[in-house]
Amino acid sequence: MAQVEELLDSYAASEAPFVTDAARHLLRAGGKRVRPLLVLLAAEAGREQVGANVGAYSEDVLTAGCVVELTHLASLYHDDVMDEAALRRGAESANARWDNHVAILTGDFLFSRSSELTARLGADAVRIQAETFTRLVEGQILETLGPQRGDDPLEHYLRVVDGKTGSLIATSARYGARFGDAPTDVEEALTAYAAKVGVAFQLSDDILDIASESEDSGKTPGTDLREGVPTLPTLLAQRAGDDARLVELLAGPVAEADVEEALGLLRAHPAMQQARDHVIGLATEAVELLKVLPEGPVRQALADFAELIAVRSA
């Protein structure tokens, strides 16, 4: 991960100092680096089977780790413009620090750099990246449009999460397995595992936005409620329709004066446990897919990661 971090910093550099500053702005603000971490873990799954030295990654594996993180980072610049966000990772968003034009073009720059790196990995990697990017953008479009007449809002939301979050996390595991020389069955299993983990990761954030206290999570509870953003618990509560006041509050962005009431009603509603059960189910299904791997530290690390996502929202 230290090697990936150094490479990311170098790939965010441009001939123009201003572009470098803008591109490194969110990179240096932090982040979980879930995607490159999964690239490395999936690569270990392949290397473990051929008896290679742990941690001795090929250049392609490290490049793939940078590809997925730069793609994710670029999407954040664009997301913040669309959401008119003022903060990202505890720092000013690029659009707030500069303006929308700078943020959009910086995101474009990072997408382009990610594409340059993908080309080093070969034609098949380019195809995978293009398909992933299509799903990511389609997920964003679906979110922007919202559910159409006849659509189930919950099913629509899960499609959005699968596209916006699950697709790139799944590709992270695919790249790691492929460039770590894992057998095809392992690559497919780890890709499916990561797709479930990616969706569970976003859904657990949905739960934490309601269930956590700010001093515990470092986030302000009810942010999604204030912005009127649909989440798994709110959609389940709306589908149940058994609390007229809660349904009324969730009809749009919740006014600041009503946020505490909405949080209290949601925390007491069965939708919260239903949401937790859904996340736990996804994590359990993901762990089951790891049976393709021999028992050992790599399989255990991947299982622990999936289970951590389930526990963090319990």
Side-chain angles (χ1 to χ4, degrees):
M1 287 301 295
Q3 286 178 279
V4 169
E5 202 68 38
E6 289 180 11
L7 288 170
L8 285 170
D9 202 63
S10 68
Y11 292 141
S14 165
E15 293 181 5
F18 177 82
V19 176
T20 300
D21 289 343
R24 286 176 173 168
H25 177 63
L26 290 186
L27 180 65
R28 292 182 173 179
K32 302 178 184 71
R33 304 290 193 261
V34 168
R35 292 153 189 83
L37 178 61
L38 279 175
V39 171
L40 300 182
L41 277 173
E44 291 285 10
R47 298 175 59 74
E48 184 179 60
Q49 294 191 346
V50 297
N53 293 330
V54 173
Y57 299 108
S58 69
E59 183 179 342
D60 282 352
V61 169
L62 296 174
T63 298
C66 293
V67 163
V68 295
E69 187 64 14
L70 289 174
T71 300
H72 171 60
L73 189 66
S75 72
L76 299 184
Y77 280 83
H78 287 183
D79 280 353
D80 287 345
V81 171
M82 296 186 69
D83 297 341
E84 299 180 350
L87 293 174
R88 169 69 70 174
R89 296 174 173 172
E92 275 188 300
S93 62
N95 47 298
R97 179 168 181 174
W98 292 288
D99 58 34
N100 285 347
H101 293 92
V102 170
I104 291 169
L105 290 171
T106 302
D108 291 346
F109 169 77
L110 291 168
F111 277 130
S112 298
R113 185 52 52 87
S114 177
S115 296
E116 288 179 24
L117 294 174
T118 307
R120 299 181 187 178
L121 300 175
D124 206 40
V126 171
R127 176 187 58 79
I128 292 168
Q129 178 73 351
E131 291 172 350
T132 304
F133 191 49
T134 296
R135 290 188 59 205
L136 193 158
V137 174
E138 285 178 339
Q140 181 64 69
I141 292 171
L142 286 173
E143 181 180 60
T144 302
L145 292 175
Q148 303 299 295
R149 180 178 299 179
D151 289 347
D152 179 277
L154 179 56
E155 290 179 6
H156 177 272
Y157 177 66
L158 293 175
R159 285 178 61 201
V160 168
V161 174
D162 186 53
K164 283 192 64 178
T165 305
S167 61
L168 186 58
I169 290 181
T171 292
S172 301
R174 183 179 294 282
Y175 276 161
R178 178 163 300 198
F179 297 114
D181 299 320
T184 301
D185 62 330
V186 171
E187 179 183 326
E188 294 304 323
L190 291 183
T191 301
Y193 154 89
K196 292 181 181 295
V197 166
V199 172
F201 191 77
Q202 176 58 54
L203 298 182
S204 67
D205 271 357
D206 288 358
I207 298 169
L208 288 170
D209 184 68
I210 296 166
S212 68
E213 299 295 340
S214 56
E215 59 267 24
D216 296 329
S217 67
K219 299 179 180 179
T220 303
T223 298
D224 290 332
L225 295 177
R226 292 177 177 87
E227 296 175 356
V229 176
T231 62
L232 182 60
T234 61
L235 288 167
L236 287 170
Q238 287 174 304
R239 172 182 277 187
D242 54 359
D243 187 324
R245 175 56 178 163
L246 183 55
V247 170
E248 178 187 355
L249 289 171
L250 297 178
V254 179
E256 187 62 41
D258 297 327
V259 168
E260 285 303 317
E261 180 186 3
L263 284 171
L265 291 172
L266 274 169
R267 288 167 179 169
H269 196 280
M272 288 297 288
Q273 189 55 51
Q274 292 169 11
R276 291 188 179 100
D277 290 344
H278 187 79
V279 171
I280 290 169
L282 284 171
T284 301
E285 291 170 9
V287 171
E288 282 294 307
L289 290 164
L290 298 176
K291 289 183 177 179
V292 69
L293 299 175
E295 291 188 7
V298 176
R299 176 171 161 179
Q300 190 61 53
L302 288 164
D304 288 347
F305 181 71
E307 289 166 3
L308 174 63
I309 289 171
V311 169
R312 71 197 282 260
S313 59

